[in-house]
Amino acid sequence: MISARGLTRIYPRESDAIVALDSADFDAKSGELVLVTGPSGSGKSTLLSIVGLLETFTSGTLSFGGTDVSAASEAERARLRRGRIGFLFQDAGLIERKPIVDNTALPLMYRGVPTRERTIRATSALEAVGLGDRIHHTPGQLSGGERQRAGLARALVADPDLLICDEPTAALDADTASDIARRIVAARERGAAIILATHDRDLHSLADRIYELKRGKIVDVREKSS
Ligand code: ADP
Ligand code: ADP
């Protein structure tokens, strides 16, 4: 699904430059759960933003679903993102003034799914995360864990080929965090590639591959021993 070689992202500063990502080789295949770990500031978010086609890079190559997207335009990256990638970030990123059923339906709207079908699919995605009786509530009426579950419903509603999660459990209590983690891992069964940046050690045993970043460099790659 994702294959990156020599990915480098440099942020210029006034006197020097910061190398947020340094010659990273990275792969995530369909049906794999891939973890990205490393201390704060090591480049995890930068890597996820690039392979999620949210940000561009300075040098290297990136292939998405077998297509070279290294030089893709913003319009082309947006088209691929909206059609094929689900995102879940630490704060869930929900629109506060909209009920969660509308938040969840948003990726389907981008895909041109008709209104009625959007509502049906969004409702069933929310039921699947245990929020079936809360669909008309706005994010502000939910607890942190419930918002994260709604964010996960939105990330999965359009059956993405790639699911990108950046510290999705960081602000949650242990029980809620392990519930969210379990649901993310379950998405792998449907054949999606899952890329997850996390400090959560509990997830390590479930991963197919773990990349460890330090100051923008991949310093270790561990494959699941099979
Ligand atoms: P992590 O997700 O592991 O905490 P990041 O990818 O957010 O790390 O950041 C990697 C490095 O790149 C950090 O030194 C950070 O300060 C820098 N960085 C990230 N985004 C930007 C930006 N938009 N402008 C300048 N520097 C940035
Ligand atoms: P947590 O213990 O996970 O932080 P809260 O104590 O914030 O959760 O909320 C407990 C329950 O009350 C949750 O189901 C939450 O959705 C609900 N709740 C909290 N605030 C509101 C609100 N303003 N309107 C409706 N429901 C709310």
Side-chain angles (χ1 to χ4, degrees), residues 17-80:
I18 188 154
V19 185
L21 198 61
D22 190 352
S23 320
D25 295 343
F26 178 90
D27 292 279
K29 301 189 181 74
S30 300
E32 279 188 339
L33 172 68
V34 174
L35 293 198
V36 180
T37 67
S40 165
S42 60
K44 302 184 297 296
S45 299
T46 300
L47 176 61
L48 264 55
S49 305
I50 292 172
V51 299
L53 310 183
L54 289 165
E55 296 230 16
T56 54
F57 45 98
T58 311
S59 61
T61 59
L62 177 64
S63 130
F64 179 92
T67 305
D68 186 349
V69 292
S70 307
S73 66
E74 169 51 30
E76 174 64 5
R77 286 187 291 118
R79 192 183 66 77
L80 289 168

Side-chain angles (χ1 to χ4, degrees), residues 162-184:
L162 174 62
L163 175 64
I164 293 192
C165 308
D166 196 352
E167 302 284 1
T169 59
L172 305 178
D173 64 80
D175 284 351
T176 311
S178 69
D179 178 54
I180 296 282
R182 229 184 8 254
R183 292 171 195 274
I184 290 170

Side-chain angles (χ1 to χ4, degrees), residues 134 137-138 140-146 173 176:
R134 309 296 293 274
H137 289 207
T138 59
Q141 293 172 304
L142 305 182
S143 74
E146 289 164 343
D173 64 80
T176 311

Side-chain angles (χ1 to χ4, degrees), residues 107-188:
L108 299 172
M109 194 178 82
Y110 289 144
R111 282 186 157 198
V113 174
T115 314
R116 214 180 108 76
E117 189 189 332
R118 286 206 298 268
T119 306
I120 292 168
R121 286 177 63 181
T123 301
S124 103
L126 286 165
E127 282 167 355
V129 296
L131 292 175
D133 56 347
R134 309 296 293 274
I135 66 168
H136 298 300
H137 289 207
T138 59
Q141 293 172 304
L142 305 182
S143 74
E146 289 164 343
R147 279 198 293 278
Q148 209 57 351
R149 280 209 281 274
L152 185 59
R154 187 187 54 186
L156 293 175
V157 70
D159 258 320
D161 298 322
L162 174 62
L163 175 64
I164 293 192
C165 308
D166 196 352
E167 302 284 1
T169 59
L172 305 178
D173 64 80
D175 284 351
T176 311
S178 69
D179 178 54
I180 296 282
R182 229 184 8 254
R183 292 171 195 274
I184 290 170
V185 172
R188 171 169 54 175

